[in-house]
């Protein structure tokens, strides 16, 4: 079975703000994100992006824009030897302006649908896998899918840490710190007290 690191995209790999990034000139990587992904690749993790793209539902941009943005992101990462193995996105929203995307779907995080689809399509062992994100909805999706969870402080992460009580495996400064945490964990030790972070405000 294959282990994976599921990554939220906006605010984890790419800079957010800008919100609803979809134009290629809005594509900016967070520092060392590329190094982090390459290190995860080298250790045998599949790296899988799972991204809510409600901007499609709201009519701010089209699915083709997201596809082009993701392709450009993949190419930019590949320039430094970092590989995204699969991209998943949810174009839906319950109050979508664009009718065909108006749905209470199973894929919009905090629901775990994108992760569960990847599990099936790519043969992923969820117990050996991680979800990394900057919002509570990312953490919840990871927990519901049966993964370890890591909150990063980039993107919305600073706000998320300040405003919520977070129960996740680790709170990381950024994706690079998350990767270091994942790769330093001995393989046969899971979910010990010293890796369980709690925050209260
Ligand atoms: Mg995000
Ligand atoms: Zn969806």
């Amino acid at each position: 079975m294959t282990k994976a690191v599921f990554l939220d995209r906006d605010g984890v790999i790419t800079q957010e703000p800008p919100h609803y990034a979809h134009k290629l000139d809005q594509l900016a990587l967070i520092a060392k994100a590329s190094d982090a992904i390459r290190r995860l690749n080298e250790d045998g993790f599949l790296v899988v992006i799972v991204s809510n793209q409600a901007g499609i539902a709201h009519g701010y941009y089209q699915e083709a824009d997201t596809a082009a943005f993701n392709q450009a992101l993949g190419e930019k990462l590949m320039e430094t030897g970092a590989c995204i193995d699969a991209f998943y996105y949810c174009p839906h929203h319950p109050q979508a302006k664009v009718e065909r995307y108006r749905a209470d779907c199973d894929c919009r995080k905090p629901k775990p649908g994108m992760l569960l689809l990847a599990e099936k399509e790519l043969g992923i062992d969820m117990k050996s896998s991680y979800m990394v994100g900057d919002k509570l909805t990312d953490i919840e999706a990871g927990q519901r899918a049966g993964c370890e969870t890591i909150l990063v402080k980039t993107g919305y992460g600073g706000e998320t840490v300040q405003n919520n009580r977070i129960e996740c495996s680790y709170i990381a400064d950024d994706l690079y710190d998350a990767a270091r945490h994942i790769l330093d964990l001995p393989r046969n030790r899971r979910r010990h007290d010293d890796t369980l972070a709690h925050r209260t405000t």
Side-chain angles (χ1 to χ4, degrees), residues 26-92:
Q26 296 173 316
L27 171 51
L29 294 177
I30 288 174
K32 289 163 83 179
S34 181
D35 291 345
I37 292 167
R38 193 180 59 247
R39 287 188 55 174
L40 294 169
N41 295 148
E42 286 166 357
D43 201 68
F45 282 95
L46 288 184
V47 177
V48 178
I49 291 182
V50 289
S51 177
N52 284 356
Q53 289 295 323
I56 298 167
H58 298 317
Y60 301 154
Y61 50 92
Q62 315 279 316
E63 286 197 63
D65 296 312
T66 293
F69 190 95
N70 285 347
Q71 189 181 339
L73 172 59
E75 286 168 4
K76 200 174 176 89
L77 290 169
M78 197 57 94
E79 282 169 15
T80 60
C83 176
I84 301 296
D85 293 286
F87 290 86
Y88 293 87
Y89 66 91
C90 165
H92 309 112

Side-chain angles (χ1 to χ4, degrees), residues 59-137:
Y60 301 154
Y61 50 92
Q62 315 279 316
E63 286 197 63
D65 296 312
T66 293
F69 190 95
N70 285 347
Q71 189 181 339
L73 172 59
E75 286 168 4
K76 200 174 176 89
L77 290 169
M78 197 57 94
E79 282 169 15
T80 60
C83 176
I84 301 296
D85 293 286
F87 290 86
Y88 293 87
Y89 66 91
C90 165
H92 309 112
H93 193 276
Q95 282 91 45
K97 207 175 138 199
V98 183
E99 196 177 343
R100 70 178 178 285
Y101 297 119
R102 197 177 305 143
D104 186 18
C105 63
D106 292 326
C107 44
R108 181 173 164 77
K109 296 174 288 185
K111 290 187 181 169
M114 289 188 281
L115 290 84
L116 298 179
L117 183 61
E119 175 187 26
K120 204 158 56 172
E121 290 185 340
L122 306 174
I124 292 167
D125 174 25
M126 299 306 249
K127 288 199 181 68
S128 318
S129 298
Y130 295 78
M131 171 73 212
V132 182
D134 64 326
K135 290 185 182 174
L136 274 191
T137 47

